[in-house]
């Protein structure tokens, strides 16, 4: 399959769905990472341009670990807005990746870039197939299944389905380690190093799902894309959701 992950910032995909992305890649699916912002405010010492360049390099290194293609939209960090320009950029990313499955942020996440990027993806997946909406790439006629990724510490997020990432947790960790600039920044903001955002949530979701390590998701159920099957690798259904 073609699988598209859309993150607001460099490192978001790896933090919230890196184990799942690694599972897709390991079974031979085509994985694309799309990063909406350039992460340019993510340093207490470097300039905006220096931070953006460093974070782009880190994102490339992380994606390369599983052979994922990287799409870099380059919008300013913390100022992602729902505009025509932003929607067209997301639509073009969908058309480039041609996904059957898309992962994005939960629409009520703590960070506005997270929430807005998730909302735009959820709103624009149908638009990617509309011929009169012009971008550089041709329309993508397939309406992809959308899964919302977990939130930091699971705050305000009730999972509906889990993916067992026990076998790919080490790969997820390696991917996150490529974002070395964010260890100090995360500690500066929240008092935690980046690695602490990995093990505790994975074990917590694993405890809920009945495995050692898990990532949690919610499908986007909307007209035209409500589905009875889940195209997730090694998924564990919750509350009666069917296996793929």
């Amino acid at each position: 399959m073609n699988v598209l992950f859309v993150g607001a910032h460099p490192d978001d995909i790896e933090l919230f769905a890196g184990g799942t992305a690694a599972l897709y890649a390991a079974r031979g699916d085509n994985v694309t990472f799309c990063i909406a912002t350039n992460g340019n405010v993510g340093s207490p010492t470097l300039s905006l341009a220096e931070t953006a360049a460093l974070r782009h390099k880190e994102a490339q290194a992380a994606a390369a670990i599983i052979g994922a293609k990287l799409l870099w939209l380059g919008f300013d960090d913390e100022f992602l807005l729902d505009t025509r320009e932003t929607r067209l950029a997301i639509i073009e990313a969908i058309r480039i990746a041609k996904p059957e499955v898309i992962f994005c942020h939960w629409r009520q996440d703590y960070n506005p870039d997270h929430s807005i990027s998730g909302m735009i993806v959820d709103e624009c997946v149908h638009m990617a197939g509309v011929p009169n909406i012009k971008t550089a790439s041709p329309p993508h006629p397939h309406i992809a299944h959308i899964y919302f990724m977990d939130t930091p510490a699971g705050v305000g997020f009730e999972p509906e389905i889990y993916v067992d990432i026990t076998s790919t947790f080490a790969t997820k960790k390696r991917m996150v380690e490529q974002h070395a600039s964010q260890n100090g920044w995360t500690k500066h903001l929240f008092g935690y190093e980046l690695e602490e955002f990995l093990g505790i949530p994975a074990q917590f979701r694993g405890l809920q799902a009945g495995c050692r390590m898990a990532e949690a998701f919610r499908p986007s159920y909307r007209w035209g894309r409500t589905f009875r099957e889940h195209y997730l690798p090694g998924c564990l259904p919750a509350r009666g959701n069917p296996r793929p």
Side-chain angles (χ1 to χ4, degrees):
M1 294 194 303
N2 295 328
V3 186
L4 173 64
F5 292 81
V6 181
H9 310 107
D11 75 26
D12 282 340
I13 293 168
E14 295 89 332
L15 284 170
F16 303 118
T20 300
L23 285 169
Y24 277 119
R27 73 181 197 180
D29 294 320
N30 301 309
V31 178
T32 300
F33 287 0
C34 173
I35 313 299
T37 78
N38 57 20
N40 61 357
V41 304
S43 172
T45 57
L46 299 177
S47 70
L48 294 174
E50 290 171 331
T51 305
L54 175 59
R55 300 203 68 188
H56 189 195
K57 183 178 179 181
E58 291 174 341
Q60 289 174 317
I65 287 177
I66 63 167
K69 181 178 181 178
L70 181 67
L71 300 178
W72 187 260
L73 303 189
F75 291 101
D76 282 333
D77 192 355
E78 303 307 323
F79 292 92
L80 188 67
L81 303 174
D82 182 15
T83 65
R84 180 183 181 88
E85 179 187 12
T86 311
R87 287 188 174 220
L88 286 173
I90 292 292
I91 289 169
E92 172 64 5
I94 294 171
R95 289 173 171 178
I96 291 172
K98 300 179 179 64
E100 283 82 36
V101 180
I102 301 176
F103 292 82
C104 63
H105 289 286
W106 177 231
R107 294 180 60 148
Q108 290 85 42
D109 208 335
Y110 89 102
N111 180 280
D113 288 350
H114 289 198
S115 301
I116 289 170
S117 67
M119 181 271 289
I120 294 173
V121 171
D122 198 28
E123 298 295 325
C124 288
V125 66
H126 290 264
M127 299 179 193
V130 177
N132 278 340
I133 298 177
K134 306 294 185 182
T135 67
S137 299
H140 175 47
H142 187 83
I143 299 174
H145 293 194
I146 291 181
Y147 295 96
F148 296 116
M149 301 183 292
D150 208 347
T151 61
V155 175
F157 189 85
E158 185 67 27
E160 292 191 21
I161 196 162
Y162 303 84
V163 172
D164 183 346
I165 63 162
T166 305
S167 65
T168 55
F169 181 77
T171 304
K172 175 186 175 93
K173 183 177 176 182
R174 282 180 56 217
M175 293 166 70
V176 172
E177 286 171 349
Q178 305 310 305
H179 298 276
S181 70
Q182 295 308 288
N183 281 326
W185 181 237
T186 306
K187 192 167 185 177
H188 172 77
L189 285 178
F190 305 114
Y192 291 93
E193 293 190 4
L194 202 59
E195 188 174 322
E196 294 182 77
F197 282 94
L198 300 182
I200 295 172
Q203 292 175 38
F204 175 60
R205 293 309 190 192
L207 180 65
Q208 293 177 327
C211 59
R212 185 161 168 258
M213 300 276 190
E215 289 172 342
F217 304 97
R218 292 185 63 156
S220 175
Y221 293 111
R222 301 182 70 172
W223 187 87
R225 67 178 101 139
T226 302
F227 47 90
R228 296 175 294 106
E229 296 179 328
H230 292 290
Y231 303 139
L232 291 165
C235 70
L236 302 173
R239 291 196 295 276
N241 286 303
R243 293 184 183 274

